[in-house]
Amino acid sequence: MDLSWRRTSRTRMGALNSAATVVDHLTQSTLDLLPAAAFVATVPDGRVTRMNGRAAALCGRDSAASRPLWDMLRAAGAGSPAEADPIAVALQRATPVEDVAGTLETCSGALPVVASIAPLHAADGRTEATLTLCHPLPSQASAAFDLHRSQERLTLALSAGRLGAWEFRIDTGMLTASPQCKANHGLGPDHHLDLEADIIAPIDRDQQESFRVALSRAIPERGAFEMEVPNRWRDGSRHWLLIAGR
């Protein structure tokens, strides 16, 4: 790790220790100004009560608030139980630590980070919570941001064009699809798709066999598949769909 970056991390944590150790003084605006993913968790159960925008973007507010912080943040190489993880121990005991290498579970997968933890006290001096800062490694932070931005652009493009995304697992026969894909077939977002019943059967009978042949050829050849077919919804209305895949 770059030493100059490590010194910067310590300096930020030190400033925070001296300026905002009283939990009541740590406002949401202060959290959002921090240059790292920041989590406030209760002691000793580790329940996340607040986080800044960076943390919410990485982990999701609902997901982070539903479990102890040490379920998402683990020291590098630490296994189970939580008592063997130095990050979990620091969160449970409100022990200050700096620059612990770890892994943060995000919406996009595991992200290597360097974590620092500081205790937060009530006005009467009691330790009420901890503040944890997670600094992604520079290259990992850039990759995570680029992936998140690409996913947002893809979602926007699919939504604007009313394009649905689908995936068919050849090994299991499982078919999954986006809500827009299901809507294009006249189905609700919670409907569990079946290839035969929901995709092939609604196609006009004189074109069903052509669809099966085209799909069966594309699978072993791992080639592109594209076919425009008439599709009859459950309400009796008829629609044309372009179904493509690779």
Side-chain angles (χ1 to χ4, degrees), residues 145-156:
F145 176 76
D146 290 343
L147 176 60
H148 179 69
R149 183 169 58 180
S150 296
Q151 290 173 334
E152 285 186 332
R153 288 175 176 173
L154 175 60
T155 301
L156 179 60

Side-chain angles (χ1 to χ4, degrees), residues 48-110:
V48 176
T49 57
R50 282 188 289 165
M51 68 187 76
N52 65 1
R54 291 173 183 267
L58 284 172
C59 304
R61 290 190 184 276
D62 293 339
S63 176
S66 64
R67 50 186 172 159
L69 181 54
W70 55 76
D71 276 359
M72 296 186 299
L73 177 63
R74 294 181 178 273
S80 297
E83 289 78 8
D85 187 334
I87 288 181
V89 172
L91 290 169
Q92 293 167 352
R93 301 177 182 177
T95 305
V97 297
E98 291 188 10
D99 291 350
V100 177
T103 301
L104 179 66
E105 182 183 328
T106 73
C107 298
S108 301

Side-chain angles (χ1 to χ4, degrees), residues 10-229:
R10 289 196 179 97
T11 301
R12 289 169 179 164
M13 199 67 191
L16 187 62
N17 283 335
S18 61
T21 56
V22 179
V23 67
D24 293 339
H25 295 170
L26 189 60
T27 64
Q28 186 62 45
S29 59
T30 302
L31 283 175
D32 288 333
L33 288 174
L34 296 175
F39 302 87
V40 175
T42 55
V43 176
D45 57 5
R47 184 174 60 86
V48 176
T49 57
R50 282 188 289 165
M51 68 187 76
N52 65 1
R54 291 173 183 267
L58 284 172
C59 304
R61 290 190 184 276
D62 293 339
S63 176
S66 64
R67 50 186 172 159
L69 181 54
W70 55 76
D71 276 359
M72 296 186 299
L73 177 63
R74 294 181 178 273
S80 297
E83 289 78 8
D85 187 334
I87 288 181
V89 172
L91 290 169
Q92 293 167 352
R93 301 177 182 177
T95 305
V97 297
E98 291 188 10
D99 291 350
V100 177
T103 301
L104 179 66
E105 182 183 328
T106 73
C107 298
S108 301
L111 179 67
V113 297
V114 172
S116 297
I117 301 171
L120 297 174
H121 307 289
D124 59 5
R126 291 180 297 107
T127 301
E128 285 195 343
T130 58
L131 173 65
T132 301
L133 300 185
C134 295
H135 295 268
L137 300 182
S139 59
Q140 295 288 343
S142 177
F145 176 76
D146 290 343
L147 176 60
H148 179 69
R149 183 169 58 180
S150 296
Q151 290 173 334
E152 285 186 332
R153 288 175 176 173
L154 175 60
T155 301
L156 179 60
L158 291 174
S159 177
R162 297 181 64 186
L163 301 174
W166 60 277
E167 179 181 9
F168 177 65
R169 294 292 303 270
I170 299 173
D171 54 345
T172 63
M174 182 179 294
L175 178 65
T176 57
S178 66
Q180 182 61 56
C181 180
K182 296 176 183 180
N184 290 345
H185 287 270
L187 303 171
D190 297 326
H191 184 84
H192 295 286
L193 282 178
D194 178 80
L195 179 63
E196 184 64 35
D198 298 317
I199 305 299
I200 298 179
I203 298 173
D204 285 0
R205 290 188 176 182
D206 60 344
Q207 295 199 39
Q208 288 182 12
E209 188 59 29
S210 298
F211 184 90
R212 288 192 180 94
V213 170
L215 182 60
S216 64
R217 286 177 179 173
I219 291 175
E221 297 173 0
R222 297 186 179 181
F225 168 79
E226 181 175 309
M227 189 171 180
E228 188 174 12
V229 295

